[in-house]
Amino acid sequence: MKRSKRFLELEKRPISNDGFINEWPEAGLVAMEGPNDPKPSVRVENGKIVELDGKRREEFDMLDSFIADHTLDLDIVEDVMAQDSKELAHKIVDINVCRDEVKRFGLGMTPAKVVEVVGHMNVVEMMMAVQKMRARKTPSNQCHVTNVKDHPALLAADAAEAALRGFDEMETTVGIVRYAPSNAISIMVGSQTGRGGVLTQCAVEEAMELEMGMRGFTAYAETVSVYGTEQVFVDGDDTPWSKSFLASAYASRGLKMRYTSGTGSEAEMGFADGKSMLYLEARCLYMTKGAGVQGIQNGSISCIGVPGAVPSGVRAILAENLIAMLLDLECASGNDQTFTHSSTRRTARMLMQFLPGTDFVFSGYSAVPNYDNMFAGSTHDVDDYDDYLTLQRDLKVNGGLVPVDEEDVIKVRNKGVRALQAVFKEIGMPDITDEEVEAATYAHGSKDMPDRDVREDFRGIEEMLNKGTTGVQIVQALAKHGFEDVAENFFNLLKQRIAGDYLHTSAIFDENFHAISAVNDKNDYAGPGTGYRVSDELWEKLKNVRFAKDIDEIGE
Amino acid sequence: MDKELVESIVRNVLSNLDEGQSSPSKSSKKSTGGNGLTDKDYPLGEKRKDLVKTPTGKSLDDVKFADIISGKTDGSELKITADTLNYQAEIARSVDREQFAKNLERAAELTRVEDERILEIYNQLRPYRSTKQELLDIADELENKYDAVINAQLIREAADVYEKRNRLKGDR
């Protein structure tokens, strides 16, 4: 065939490098409305659910049992299930039906039912519903702070900058597992330099993550994964019961936590049971609710290549966020792992959460260059900051970031690294040199950083752990070297564990360590002029990006 | 949302939960609370400082930055207590978050269990790690040694399900 020049041009576009597949329901490669999804059903006998989505109790797997016994509300489930799914969808979208009324029937729907209900909605209706149903009134944002070298100085600098830019939560993970405690400490010190009250976590294996929380190196946990089929759950080395116990363990130490799930994980791990991605994700969310966890990170997350490749996949991702909100769970709504080479596609995918606002629009905006992102990249990174600020300004949307000055960024990065330098000196970690401080202050990424002596770092980390080092020694180290303000922020973050206010749904702190959550900042959206609105004060900040000219500058 | 409706839903959910438990007396007493706390008392650390105490009985204002810096205290008071978790559970229930409240009540019980033992029990609860008897022993330990009756119930339930679904030690 003689090739069309127009098609040859199209094939040069970045989107040509994306992977797309047609639906294959038997392997779970169908986003929603799967032909093999069970029909919604429920039967209650003697105060017990004896049938759930077409299965009798004898046939229940672990997830069915858990959902039947811990999640669904027996008093309402039969009534709600009897209602027409389209009518329920109407109520969810309708601005005249308040959030509380919708919330009331969330636990009256089975996983198959909720999937059928949201299946009636297009993405604009889902966004309307997200605007109304997200738990916290004020939207927020979370970022990733990592680098390929696990370089502590750079982690501290990046965390300090990210805090200044407005992120309320920060997540790190490791290139090499043994660096975990060092990474956790580095972003905690950096973040508390940038802005007191930012919450930080370090995503590693569950037991290790809990131990770091107990020591005071992290403020919350998120990488506590749940899955929608029993086989994948068990392959993930957990059960709904072990995960429930873990949830209580965190709370017992005053630590906030949320689970993680997402469409596509079961198909990717080869055990989708022929069900649609959204149906399996709904099971995860009902399990999460039953465990009593306050929230979830979802939106496909690390499996986004799977829903991203099939028809209606990005719509399914928005639908899974919405189901979490219908269950009154905090939702850190994805937009993290890279799934496309196309700027158009990644922006369109992100607008689904950015426009209505969610508890955390990103559950990992990359506050580092993409090559340093150890969560396999993110859809948006440091090089997109100005684009993102412009979208906020264009559309008058609070996406969680504020414009900053270069000078302030340099200052705060420098202070963050110097604070960590002091901490490392006192807790017996290998020195952070002045050369490293200088490099981290001005770096774009780890390519601008000298290498660390990895073996020496491991030795230092091991000794530090063996000595029983906790957050208290870090506070003392900071104060001893004149970083009183950072020390006090670090201390206050530890002190918050006593009261446990930030255990609650969608909790974050402002700079005065005042908890803002779905208890005292309830979403009360009920149409135009209600719910969250950008305040005049914030709007002044959002308007004033550094690259906008004053009228008197034009023509000079 | 209509307050009476909330209360009646909470009551109903509670009574249903109790039916399914072998030893409901201890746990249900805890879960109904009785301090009348609601979302109006939140954040507890600001609005009900009178209630929030450290494990040694210090108030929030007595936990001082200066004492940590000077080494006068070692930071062991930077911990939440069972009472505070139960207060937070009451607040959670007042905003209609029954399952979350239950989690906080399980957490209240776990404040009495040492860090290391918590990590061990968690690992024992993972699939294929324990025999049914080992799980039942953990449940007894939690109930008898730590007065952790809700957690004990959860682990007994797990033992049954693991047996049915072949997820016990040796089943793989």
Side-chain angles (χ1 to χ4, degrees):
Chain A
M1 182 180 74
K2 183 174 177 184
R3 296 297 310 275
S4 148
K5 291 192 176 65
R6 201 161 275 179
F7 278 80
L8 288 171
E9 278 308 308
L10 282 175
E11 283 167 18
K12 287 184 202 155
R13 301 271 292 188
I15 200 165
S16 293
N17 295 316
D18 286 4
F20 298 99
I21 43 172
N22 292 320
E23 289 172 341
W24 182 18
E26 292 70 29
L29 293 174
V30 57
M32 51 198 288
E33 295 144 337
N36 308 320
D37 286 354
K39 295 278 164 287
S41 76
V42 82
R43 213 150 49 81
V44 181
E45 272 174 21
N46 303 320
K48 255 196 162 161
I49 289 178
V50 294
E51 182 191 312
L52 179 68
D53 291 338
K55 268 194 231 170
R56 285 173 295 121
R57 185 168 268 272
E58 311 79 89
E59 305 167 301
F60 281 3
D61 63 15
M62 280 186 167
L63 284 145
D64 298 317
S65 299
F66 194 87
I67 291 164
D69 294 341
H70 292 273
T71 314
L72 296 176
D73 184 342
L74 298 188
D75 289 328
I76 59 168
V77 72
E78 286 173 309
D79 284 349
V80 178
M81 289 294 284
Q83 291 181 45
D84 180 62
S85 290
K86 205 154 89 180
E87 273 173 35
L88 290 171
H90 272 255
K91 286 184 190 168
I92 291 167
V93 176
D94 188 346
I95 56 170
N96 298 307
V97 180
C98 71
R99 181 180 190 273
D100 277 346
E101 194 179 330
V102 175
K103 192 179 117 177
R104 214 177 298 168
F105 61 74
L107 296 181
M109 295 184 280
T110 63
K113 180 74 169 181
V114 81
V115 168
E116 189 176 279
V117 168
V118 299
H120 285 290
M121 299 179 193
N122 62 34
V123 292
V124 177
E125 288 153 355
M126 287 181 197
M127 284 197 278
M128 286 290 288
V130 164
Q131 178 162 251
K132 180 170 92 181
M133 292 309 299
R134 77 160 179 271
R136 192 192 330 104
K137 180 169 169 169
T138 311
S140 175
N141 214 340
Q142 183 203 97
C143 66
H144 291 159
V145 180
T146 60
N147 64 67
V148 289
K149 292 180 180 172
D150 291 315
H151 203 299
L154 185 59
L155 289 167
D158 282 331
E161 177 179 344
L164 186 73
R165 284 183 179 271
F167 292 104
D168 291 319
E169 275 192 0
M170 266 175 222
E171 172 182 27
T172 190
T173 191
V174 288
I176 308 172
V177 175
R178 288 172 71 183
Y179 261 117
S182 166
N183 289 18
I185 292 169
S186 300
I187 71 158
M188 192 128 157
V189 170
S191 65
Q192 299 314 303
T193 308
R195 197 268 281 174
V198 171
L199 298 173
T200 66
Q201 57 146 332
C202 179
V204 285
E205 189 275 327
E206 272 85 350
M208 190 176 186
E209 200 166 323
L210 177 59
E211 193 196 328
M212 287 197 293
M214 287 168 164
R215 281 182 186 261
F217 298 165
T218 57
Y220 78 107
E222 172 179 81
T223 310
V224 181
S225 305
V226 292
Y227 303 95
T229 62
E230 180 173 316
Q231 191 54 49
V232 175
F233 217 121
V234 169
D235 286 350
D237 207 13
D238 267 298
T239 73
W241 286 265
S242 63
K243 280 275 148 83
S244 298
F245 183 81
L246 193 57
S248 308
Y250 273 104
S252 75
R253 270 52 185 170
L255 289 160
K256 177 181 174 175
M257 76 100 77
R258 70 173 73 91
Y259 282 174
T260 291
S261 63
T263 46
S265 61
E266 299 84 6
E268 188 161 291
M269 287 168 83
F271 290 100
D273 211 13
K275 305 297 193 294
S276 74
M277 300 174 200
L278 189 62
Y279 168 69
L280 296 179
E281 174 60 14
R283 279 161 53 97
C284 293
L285 295 170
Y286 276 74
M287 189 262 132
T288 298
K289 182 70 182 178
V293 175
Q294 62 81 28
I296 188 91
Q297 164 184 234
N298 80 352
S300 195
I301 315 302
S302 55
C303 300
I304 188 156
V306 185
V310 297
S312 192
V314 174
R315 171 172 165 250
I317 291 167
L318 176 58
E320 65 179 275
N321 295 150
L322 174 58
I323 295 172
M325 296 169 202
L326 292 173
L327 293 176
D328 193 31
L329 295 167
E330 173 195 57
C331 181
S333 57
N335 283 308
D336 40 18
Q337 192 165 305
T338 316
F339 76 109
T340 179
H341 299 81
S342 157
S343 288
T344 310
R345 261 192 111 196
R346 73 187 172 120
T347 306
R349 183 252 174 281
M350 180 271 284
L351 289 177
M352 304 293 107
Q353 290 77 25
F354 174 85
L355 294 177
T358 68
D359 291 323
F360 299 94
V361 176
F362 289 68
S363 49
Y365 185 113
S366 187
V368 298
N370 244 306
Y371 75 81
D372 269 331
N373 191 303
M374 302 312 288
F375 292 98
S378 184
T379 57
H380 290 73
D381 65 30
V382 282
D383 299 335
D384 298 307
Y385 274 143
D386 288 346
D387 298 73
Y388 194 80
L389 292 172
T390 303
L391 285 179
Q392 294 187 135
R393 185 177 184 267
D394 284 345
L395 302 170
K396 197 174 182 181
V397 164
N398 175 7
L401 295 194
V402 284
V404 289
D405 286 330
E406 184 175 353
E407 197 182 340
D408 295 337
V409 167
I410 290 169
K411 232 186 257 170
V412 83
R413 289 181 69 92
N414 182 263
K415 185 174 168 187
V417 196
R418 283 190 294 108
L420 187 69
Q421 186 182 36
V423 169
F424 268 32
K425 199 185 193 84
E426 290 299 319
I427 64 174
M429 292 280 292
D431 279 348
I432 291 172
T433 64
D434 290 341
E435 184 203 357
E436 286 175 314
V437 173
E438 180 76 3
T441 300
Y442 295 96
H444 175 254
S446 63
K447 285 176 187 165
D448 307 309
M449 295 299 296
D451 289 334
R452 295 279 293 177
D453 183 335
V454 176
R455 268 187 210 184
E456 274 302 295
D457 278 348
F458 288 166
R459 211 176 45 84
I461 290 166
E462 202 165 316
E463 278 177 26
M464 182 264 299
L465 291 177
N466 289 342
K467 274 189 294 187
T469 306
T470 67
V472 170
Q473 280 81 50
I474 297 171
V475 173
Q476 289 167 339
L478 287 164
K480 183 175 168 186
H481 289 266
F483 296 95
E484 289 259 342
D485 53 342
V486 185
E488 198 155 359
N489 286 340
F490 205 116
F491 166 75
N492 278 328
L493 202 50
L494 296 174
K495 189 176 169 181
Q496 286 298 329
R497 294 172 189 212
I498 301 172
D501 287 313
Y502 86 109
L503 299 175
H504 279 274
T505 308
S506 309
I508 49 177
F509 289 121
D510 69 13
E511 66 276 18
N512 301 313
F513 289 84
H514 171 68
I516 304 165
S517 74
V519 179
N520 60 351
D521 188 35
K522 296 188 188 97
N523 188 6
D524 55 1
Y525 179 80
T530 68
Y532 178 79
R533 302 283 144 173
V534 175
S535 68
D536 293 343
E537 190 193 348
L538 178 63
W539 183 227
E540 280 309 307
K541 285 187 197 163
L542 295 184
K543 282 197 280 190
N544 288 316
V545 291
R546 68 177 197 293
F547 38 87
K549 288 190 174 85
D550 280 333
I551 289 298
D552 51 14
E553 283 177 85
I554 293 172
E556 270 174 19
Chain B
M1 186 169 173
D2 183 344
K3 240 195 150 168
E4 278 176 21
L5 185 75
V6 176
E7 281 169 13
S8 86
I9 290 174
V10 169
R11 262 198 310 277
N12 282 326
V13 171
L14 276 176
S15 65
N16 281 325
L17 284 170
D18 287 345
E19 271 169 29
Q21 287 181 356
S22 55
S23 53
S25 53
K26 279 181 182 169
S27 56
S28 63
K29 233 182 270 165
K30 275 170 197 158
S31 58
T32 48
N35 302 282
L37 296 173
T38 68
D39 53 342
K40 295 194 175 54
D41 299 293
Y42 180 91
L44 270 188
E46 291 172 25
K47 293 192 176 166
R48 294 305 303 270
K49 281 189 173 186
D50 55 315
L51 289 177
V52 179
K53 296 277 187 295
T54 70
T56 54
K58 277 191 189 174
S59 73
L60 277 177
D61 290 337
D62 286 338
V63 180
K64 291 191 182 101
F65 178 59
D67 291 344
I68 293 279
I69 299 313
S70 67
K72 192 174 156 196
T73 54
D74 61 1
S76 58
E77 71 271 50
L78 296 168
K79 283 191 179 135
I80 196 161
T81 65
D83 283 347
T84 305
L85 282 159
N86 284 320
Y87 299 145
Q88 295 290 9
E90 274 189 53
I91 291 173
R93 209 162 258 135
S94 81
V95 287
D96 208 11
R97 297 191 174 115
E98 176 57 32
Q99 285 89 348
F100 175 53
K102 206 85 199 161
N103 178 22
L104 295 177
E105 285 164 354
R106 289 200 308 265
E109 294 184 344
L110 294 183
T111 56
R112 299 188 278 273
V113 185
E114 310 78 22
D115 287 3
E116 215 154 281
R117 189 66 191 128
I118 292 239
L119 288 164
E120 282 166 8
I121 294 175
Y122 166 61
N123 280 319
Q124 288 294 103
L125 270 172
R126 289 177 145 180
Y128 311 121
R129 296 297 204 289
S130 305
T131 63
K132 189 172 187 191
Q133 192 54 50
E134 283 167 344
L135 288 174
L136 294 176
D137 290 346
I138 292 172
D140 288 345
E141 176 198 348
L142 283 170
E143 181 157 340
N144 300 327
K145 188 171 169 192
Y146 300 102
D147 192 22
V149 287
I150 319 175
N151 285 279
Q153 173 58 26
L154 186 81
I155 288 172
R156 289 188 188 113
E157 185 187 314
D160 282 343
V161 178
Y162 290 13
E163 183 179 39
K164 240 176 257 169
R165 302 297 301 170
N166 301 317
R167 306 297 182 188
L168 292 166
K169 193 195 273 178
D171 282 340
R172 183 151 41 180

